[in-house]
Amino acid sequence: VLPGVPAAAFVNDLKADLHAPDTLDVAIEDIKAGDLRPFLLASSDRGHSWRSIAGDLPDRHLVWRVVQDHVRPELLFAATEFGVFFTLDGGNHWLELTGGVPTISFRDLAIQRRENDLVAASFGRGLFILDDYTPLREIDAGRLRREASLFSVRPALWYVERSVLGGRGAADQGAASFVAPNPPFGAVFTYHLAQGLTARKEARRERERELEKSGASTPYPGWDELERERREEKPAVVLTVRDEHGAIVRRIDGPTGKGFHRVAWDLRSPSHEPITDGRRREEWDDGDGAPTGYLVAPGTYSVSLSKRVEGELVELAGPVPFEVVRLREGALPGAPPSETAAFLERAADVELAVAGATQALDDAMAQLQRMRTALDRSTLAPDGALDRELRELQRQLFAVDEELAGNRSRRDIGEPMAPSVSQRLRVAIHGVSGATYGPTATHRRSLELAEQRFSELQAQLRRLIDDELPALARRMDEAGVPWTTGAPVPTLPPSP
C-alpha cells in the first residue's frame, strides 16, 4: 500500500536505488482526477513498505521523473510540473534549480555520468543541460553558512576553439543546421556567497524600499553620505588564477550577488593591449572584437576567491587546485606547449610595447594638432619659428609611424609595401596563437626582426615624445600661446 496516494493514481517513474540493493523510488501522479499534489515515495524493503520523500516540494508540483546521483546517495533530482528540484538529504528538503530555466513542465531527466551533467527534457521548450553539477555533492548546511565557498574544478580541456564561418553561433550559416550554445570554454569556477556585496547606494535604496512598502517616510541621507556614495569604489568579487609556482596568471571578475555563481576562465593570459580611452589601432583579437591574451600551457593551476571592498582585497576561499589538460595530440610533431606559451609570452611583451608606442604616437599627433590650433589663435609676432618646430616634429613622428604601422595610404587599398614592425609581429603571433603546434623558424625570425627594429624606433620615439614635445609645449606656454590638453598645468600671468 502506498500511503496517502489515491487508488487510481498513475505511476510516472520507478527507479532502483544505485547504492542500496533493496531500495526503490517511485513518482506518482493523479492529474486525471485534478490532483496536482507531488507524490514521491521510497521503499527500502523492495516495495513491501513505503515512505514519502516529497518533503517540502511545493503544492501543485506533480512529479514526472526522479533520478539519483551515482556518487552521493542522498542527492536526488526531481522533474516536476513547474521545474527541476534537487535534495541533498534524500527527500526531506528540496531546492529548485533556476539559472535561466523557464517555468515549464519537465517530463524527463537523465545524468551523463562521464561529464556529470544533468539533462532535463521539458514539455515544448526543448532540452536543458546543467553542466557539471558536482558542486552539489560538496554542499552541506554548514558550508552554505560560510561567507563564501569555492568548489572543486573539473579538468579543463586545452585546445583552440573552432569558429564557424562569419563568427560566433550560427553566423553566416543561418538556419542551415541546428546550432545550440556550447558549454563555456576553459575552466569553470563555481562559488557561493552567503550574502551579496552591496554598494552604499544600493544598500540605502534597499532600506528605503522596505520603508516605502510599510508606508513609512524615507529619511534624507545628507550631503556627506551622498558624497561617500559617489566616491565609493563598487564592491567586486575577484577570482585569481595562479600557476603551479604561485605566480598570478589571470584575475577574473565575478558576480557579487547572494547565492551560487559560475565564471569561466578561457585559459588565456590577460589582454596584451594598452589601456586607452579610444579604439585600438591594430585588431589582434579573437575575431569578435573582444581583447584577449594567449593560451597558457597545460599543467596544474589553482584558483582563489576574494572580495574587494573600498579598494581592499580580502581572500575568502581557496586556493582550489585544478588541471588544464591537452584534448589530443596533433597529427604533426610540434613544439612542447610550454615552449609555445613562452614564445607567446615574449611576443606579448613586444606586442604591448608596440601597441603602447603606437598609442603614444597617436596621442602626440593629437597634441600637435591642438598646438597648431592654439598657435592659430595666438597673437604672436608672425616670425614662424614655433610653426616650423611644430611641423618638423610632426614630420619625424610621421616617419616613425610608417615604420611601426606601415604606409597608411598603401595599406588602406591593400597595396604591397615593405614589412612594418606591426606586420612582422602579426606574422609571428597569428601563426602560433591559432594552432597548438608552436612556433616555426619563420615565426621566430619574424619576432626577432620586429623586436630589433622596434628597439631602434623606441629610442627615437622617446626622444620626440618625452623630450622635444614637452620642450615645444613649454616654449609655446612661455610665449603666451593658449593652453591645450596635454600641456603643463597653466600658471597665472603676473599682475599688471
Side-chain angles (χ1 to χ4, degrees):
V1 177
L2 301 176
V5 177
F10 185 83
V11 175
N12 283 333
D13 198 14
L14 179 65
K15 293 285 174 57
D17 193 286
L18 301 177
H19 305 272
D22 296 329
T23 300
L24 302 169
D25 297 323
V26 62
I28 300 174
E29 50 89 1
D30 194 23
I31 191 173
K32 294 179 179 61
D35 190 345
L36 298 181
R37 288 179 295 168
F39 297 112
L40 189 57
L41 299 98
S43 171
S44 58
D45 54 8
R46 300 191 180 191
H48 293 287
S49 62
W50 297 87
R51 59 182 177 83
S52 174
I53 57 170
D56 53 0
L57 280 172
D59 293 336
R60 301 176 60 82
H61 274 246
L62 60 90
V63 181
W64 292 100
R65 288 291 184 272
V66 59
V67 293
Q68 183 185 36
D69 180 42
H70 50 285
V71 174
R72 180 174 175 176
E74 302 83 9
L75 176 55
L76 306 174
F77 299 92
T80 78
E81 185 66 15
F82 298 107
V84 179
F85 291 76
F86 74 96
T87 178
L88 300 171
D89 55 12
N92 294 319
H93 178 57
W94 292 85
L95 296 170
E96 186 174 7
L97 289 170
T98 54
V101 175
T103 301
I104 194 71
S105 177
F106 281 88
R107 298 298 179 90
D108 205 358
L109 293 175
I111 292 175
Q112 209 286 344
R113 295 191 183 186
R114 186 191 67 191
E115 302 297 331
N116 294 294
D117 292 347
L118 177 68
V119 184
S122 72
F123 185 80
R125 294 289 295 275
L127 293 171
F128 295 84
I129 302 175
L130 173 60
D131 299 311
D132 185 23
Y133 68 80
T134 55
L136 297 180
R137 296 175 184 156
E138 303 176 30
I139 295 176
D140 56 46
R143 188 161 190 176
L144 294 183
R145 285 194 292 267
R146 299 177 193 171
E147 181 178 3
S149 291
L150 184 61
F151 297 91
S152 300
V153 183
R154 69 175 172 183
L157 297 179
W158 184 84
Y159 59 94
V160 176
E161 289 183 276
R162 176 183 177 185
S163 297
V164 296
L165 293 177
R168 304 289 184 178
D172 292 350
Q173 302 303 294
S177 58
F178 174 77
V179 176
N182 284 323
F185 171 77
V188 179
F189 308 135
T190 305
Y191 64 94
H192 176 268
L193 298 177
Q195 299 295 330
L197 303 180
T198 308
R200 286 177 177 271
K201 184 176 181 179
E202 295 171 356
R204 172 175 61 82
R205 284 297 299 130
E206 184 60 34
R207 292 192 301 269
E208 290 173 347
R209 279 190 285 268
E210 292 301 319
L211 291 173
E212 291 165 2
K213 289 179 183 178
S214 62
S217 62
T218 55
Y220 185 75
W223 294 115
D224 290 343
E225 177 59 26
L226 290 175
E227 185 63 13
R228 280 193 291 269
E229 291 178 1
R230 188 186 71 83
R231 298 181 184 184
E232 181 186 22
E233 180 182 348
K234 190 174 182 180
V237 164
V238 180
L239 291 150
T240 303
V241 180
R242 292 179 170 85
D243 63 19
E244 59 184 339
H245 304 295
I248 294 178
V249 177
R250 184 79 177 268
R251 289 189 178 96
I252 307 166
D253 290 338
T256 59
K258 177 181 178 180
F260 284 92
H261 302 285
R262 270 189 163 163
V263 176
W265 171 42
D266 59 4
L267 307 185
R268 293 177 180 269
S269 59
S271 172
H272 307 291
E273 296 182 356
I275 309 301
T276 69
D277 56 0
R279 184 162 178 78
R280 294 165 286 145
R281 280 280 290 276
E282 303 293 344
E283 293 295 340
W284 300 330
D285 55 43
D286 62 358
D288 63 359
T292 181
Y294 305 114
L295 279 175
V296 302
T300 302
Y301 295 83
S302 66
V303 60
S304 58
L305 178 71
S306 304
K307 66 177 180 180
R308 187 173 63 238
V309 179
E310 295 289 355
E312 183 178 356
L313 196 65
V314 178
E315 187 169 296
L316 300 176
V320 174
F322 64 95
E323 297 292 327
V324 175
V325 296
R326 190 165 188 161
L327 176 63
R328 63 174 65 90
E329 294 294 330
L332 299 175
S338 57
E339 185 177 321
T340 302
F343 175 84
L344 288 174
E345 184 178 353
R346 180 56 189 164
D349 292 338
V350 180
E351 177 186 19
L352 178 58
V354 171
T358 304
Q359 184 61 53
L361 193 150
D362 280 352
D363 294 342
M365 286 292 197
Q367 172 65 5
L368 285 175
Q369 189 58 48
R370 292 190 293 267
M371 292 166 70
R372 161 56 58 195
T373 302
L375 274 173
D376 291 341
R377 293 182 184 177
S378 70
T379 56
L380 298 179
D383 62 359
L386 290 175
D387 297 79
R388 286 191 295 273
E389 289 185 50
L390 190 150
R391 181 57 186 166
E392 174 59 22
L393 184 53
Q394 190 178 49
R395 184 193 66 78
Q396 294 184 59
L397 288 175
F398 273 129
V400 175
D401 177 72
E402 185 167 346
E403 291 280 349
L404 283 175
N407 185 289
R408 301 299 182 108
S409 299
R410 285 176 173 269
R411 193 179 68 180
D412 287 346
I413 61 173
E415 185 72 12
M417 57 183 173
S420 66
V421 172
S422 295
Q423 287 172 322
R424 292 192 185 281
L425 190 57
R426 187 180 293 109
V427 169
I429 292 176
H430 282 190
V432 179
S433 63
T436 59
Y437 289 99
T440 64
T442 299
H443 299 134
R444 296 182 189 278
R445 183 57 177 160
S446 294
L447 179 59
E448 181 183 350
L449 291 173
E451 193 169 355
Q452 288 175 354
R453 185 56 183 142
F454 178 72
S455 296
E456 300 166 359
L457 294 172
Q458 188 179 44
Q460 183 180 354
L461 194 59
R462 282 178 174 171
R463 175 179 58 81
L464 295 174
I465 295 179
D466 297 345
D467 299 331
E468 296 191 15
L469 180 58
L472 177 58
R474 284 193 297 271
R475 287 194 292 274
M476 290 178 59
D477 183 61
E478 292 167 356
V481 175
W483 185 86
T484 64
T485 302
V489 177
T491 58
L492 289 174
S495 301

